[in-house]
Amino acid sequence: MRLPPAPAWFPLRALALQGVAALCVLLFCLAPLRYCTWKLEAEIKELENRIQVQETLQPLMEGLNARREETRRLLGAASPLPTPDTLPLIITSLQEMVSLSGMQSSRFVPAAETVVEKNRIRLDGTLSGPPENFRRLVLLLSEQPWLSGMEFLNVTPSEAHPAYSLGIWATFTQPANILRH
């Protein structure tokens, strides 16, 4: 069966061009929507995987946190000290933690290149004592929110007790460029 021919007055070309234009507009609108849908589905799948990992690791983390608390209790960790507002108070607080840990000797001095930092300074220290006491000191240091990190740690073995040298970053509350006497 054949279709009847289109009358001569019927704009077949114009209709075909309009159909092609409508198809192009439809594709240009649907392609970005399909891409966004694909991207959102990938993000949802990634989030579901993260949730599954979190659910799997949660019991392990609870066990680790319990062990961490037990270790703190066994080592006699203290509560955080107040944030010092001057450099001498930082050094005093560090000496107090060294005494609490049972280390035998210590000395902390500001690193010259960090004195220009805003409210942050690296203190280089030398210590000696048994490894158990050094572990206790590291635990005490990790409890202090005003200590922001350890830059280096060197251990030198000796006959009596190992010697330790470390660099600790500290933050104090004194406003920058104000000296107190």
Side-chain angles (χ1 to χ4, degrees), residues 2-3 22 48 55 74 88-89 93 118 135 138 141 147 150-152 157 166 170:
R2 277 183 77 186
L3 293 174
E48 287 173 346
E55 289 173 349
L74 289 174
L89 288 176
S93 296
K118 245 183 152 178
R135 282 189 209 110
V138 170
L141 292 173
L147 293 174
M150 187 180 296
E151 185 164 319
F152 65 87
L166 64 149

Side-chain angles (χ1 to χ4, degrees), residues 47-61:
L47 289 173
E48 287 173 346
N49 287 339
R50 282 184 168 180
I51 289 171
Q52 184 179 9
V53 167
Q54 290 291 331
E55 289 173 349
T56 303
L57 292 178
Q58 184 179 4
L60 296 172
M61 291 304 295

Side-chain angles (χ1 to χ4, degrees), residues 113-159:
E113 67 271 13
T114 65
V115 174
V116 294
E117 290 276 335
K118 245 183 152 178
N119 298 350
R120 255 183 109 220
I121 192 162
R122 189 184 80 216
L123 296 149
D124 297 339
T126 55
L127 310 157
S128 67
E132 298 81 27
N133 292 357
F134 184 71
R135 282 189 209 110
R136 185 175 295 127
L137 175 64
V138 170
L139 190 60
L140 287 169
L141 292 173
S142 69
E143 295 290 324
Q144 308 309 315
W146 49 272
L147 293 174
S148 56
M150 187 180 296
E151 185 164 319
F152 65 87
L153 169 64
N154 298 315
V155 181
T156 308
S158 68
E159 290 182 23

